[in-house]
Amino acid sequence: MKIGRNELCPCGSGKKYKYCCMGKENIEEEFEIGKKKNSWEEFLNTEEGMETMYNMLANMRDFLLKDKPHIKEYKKIRKLHSEIIDNMQQYYEEGNFKQEFDLGEVKDKIETKNIKLLSTDFDTSTQLGMTALLNIIIYKNSSTANCLTEEYLRKNKFRKPEKVEFLRAMLNSEAGLFEITKTDKENAQVKMKNVLSGKEYLVTDIALSGNKNNDKFYWYNRIITYNGISFGTGVGIIFEKNDKFIINWINENKKNYNEKEEMVRFLTLYNEYQKNDRGIKLRVNNM
């Protein structure tokens, strides 16, 4: 069956096919790429090879799990989410939304470095940069800034009850740095805990639940829960648990944690991740 470039990728990542597994299903083609790098084994040790193998395994697991009822529901929800995000992105690109910051009540408490963070440049020619920007404008990351989800609800942009309810789920979603505390491969689920808030979620994720190294990383993600299904979305940036920066970041942010002020935390992590180019970029989720 031929898959359209703009259709959802069948691996279950929630991304469009052209941004995910397009061109990566043919193992022989990937082997030819590997031979140019001296060997298939050497190729798999590169970032490109890691992502290729990651997607191949996700495709295989997707096929084996596709008949489970909660996986079918998960895919319906991811499709609904993708439709809403595509609509929002078009709305934003047409110049219909302006994000504003009300610093009146908190300007005396905001440090200069935090104000500078708000002017972070996003390279929108890359998927990572565009996804990071959309994370800022679509979701409620700060009590002092408006967001697209609020505007869509206020203006009644959608009439279908399921989309209205989904917008509310997006508005109530939680973003943060998570660690995976338990993996259930058979049901394609992982238990994720926000390292700052302590909140836990049972997240459905076909690819992530097949990863053997989940205990070695922290994942920055956003978790949305709709119709009893929780799933991760947003900028899937990853830090090794022994990274000195992330250890210090966690300790510092635990001291004065405010769940309503996620924007500065996100921008701090995003800037560090981009600046040091850690190379752990296995996946960027659909927003």
Side-chain angles (χ1 to χ4, degrees):
M1 184 183 298
K2 185 174 177 60
I3 304 169
R5 286 168 52 84
N6 291 310
E7 293 181 20
L8 284 178
C9 186
C11 78
S13 68
K15 294 185 290 183
K16 291 183 179 180
Y17 180 54
K18 64 183 178 182
Y19 293 137
C20 193
C21 296
M22 181 177 175
K24 294 182 179 178
E25 299 87 347
N26 192 323
I27 298 178
E28 292 183 0
E29 180 181 340
E30 296 297 351
F31 185 72
E32 290 301 318
I33 296 174
K35 286 198 299 184
K36 293 178 183 179
K37 298 178 182 291
N38 299 325
S39 71
W40 177 246
E41 290 79 11
E42 183 179 339
F43 172 61
L44 290 179
N45 286 326
T46 66
E47 181 181 338
E48 184 182 6
M50 289 173 63
E51 186 170 359
T52 297
M53 181 57 68
Y54 189 84
N55 286 325
M56 287 167 57
L57 293 174
N59 287 341
M60 184 182 299
R61 298 195 71 242
D62 177 70
F63 177 77
L64 295 174
L65 294 163
K66 62 183 177 66
D67 292 328
K68 288 182 175 287
H70 73 286
I71 296 297
K72 290 181 179 180
E73 181 64 19
Y74 162 76
K75 290 190 174 184
K76 288 179 183 178
I77 291 172
R78 292 306 302 248
K79 183 178 180 181
L80 177 62
H81 182 230
S82 182
E83 290 174 0
I84 290 175
I85 296 304
D86 285 347
N87 187 290
M88 286 181 164
Q89 184 171 349
Q90 182 178 351
Y91 183 82
Y92 171 73
E93 290 175 350
E94 290 173 353
N96 296 316
F97 175 76
K98 181 180 179 181
Q99 192 163 53
E100 298 176 342
F101 298 88
D102 180 8
L103 302 180
E105 297 182 3
V106 296
K107 65 181 180 180
D108 294 332
K109 300 179 182 179
I110 296 181
E111 299 178 9
T112 302
K113 65 178 182 179
N114 290 348
I115 294 176
K116 289 181 179 178
L117 284 171
L118 297 179
S119 63
T120 297
D121 291 326
F122 298 102
D123 183 0
T124 55
S125 66
T126 67
Q127 189 185 358
L128 184 64
M130 176 56 77
T131 307
L133 175 61
L134 290 176
N135 178 61
I136 293 295
I137 66 172
I138 288 176
Y139 298 101
K140 191 68 175 177
N141 294 286
S142 172
S143 60
T144 62
N146 61 330
C147 69
L148 256 177
T149 304
E150 284 179 322
E151 182 159 320
Y152 264 54
L153 283 168
R154 179 169 53 83
K155 291 187 175 182
N156 297 315
K157 294 290 292 181
F158 293 129
R159 300 292 183 180
K160 290 185 177 180
E162 65 173 359
K163 287 191 175 181
V164 174
E165 286 302 312
F166 199 93
L167 286 175
R168 293 195 179 104
M170 288 171 61
L171 194 61
N172 293 322
S173 61
E174 180 178 7
L177 190 69
F178 289 87
E179 63 177 330
I180 295 174
T181 58
K182 186 176 180 180
T183 300
D184 181 353
K185 292 182 65 175
E186 291 186 6
N187 290 301
Q189 293 176 321
V190 293
K191 183 171 285 188
M192 302 186 77
K193 179 180 179 180
N194 187 317
V195 298
L196 298 184
S197 73
K199 292 182 181 178
E200 291 185 309
Y201 298 86
L202 186 61
V203 174
T204 300
D205 192 309
I206 293 173
L208 194 56
S209 60
N211 192 335
K212 296 181 180 179
N213 298 310
N214 287 335
D215 60 335
K216 297 179 181 180
F217 303 104
Y218 290 119
W219 303 70
Y220 189 89
N221 221 337
R222 175 175 296 278
I223 296 179
I224 300 175
T225 302
Y226 176 76
N227 276 2
I229 301 286
S230 294
F231 65 95
T233 185
V235 186
I237 57 179
I238 310 167
F239 290 89
E240 292 184 9
K241 285 189 174 181
N242 59 5
D243 186 312
K244 290 183 179 179
F245 166 81
I246 203 63
I247 292 172
N248 292 333
W249 183 92
I250 291 171
N251 291 334
E252 183 63 29
N253 281 276
K254 275 188 174 180
K255 295 176 184 177
N256 300 300
Y257 176 69
N258 179 351
E259 64 178 6
K260 295 182 179 180
E261 299 301 330
E262 186 60 33
M263 186 175 296
V264 171
R265 288 192 293 271
F266 166 67
L267 292 177
T268 304
L269 291 179
Y270 176 78
N271 289 343
E272 178 69 18
Y273 188 73
Q274 289 292 86
K275 180 177 67 177
N276 288 286
D277 191 23
R278 285 172 167 77
I280 311 172
K281 299 178 182 178
L282 296 180
R283 175 179 57 173
V284 178
N285 295 321
N286 179 277
M287 285 304 302

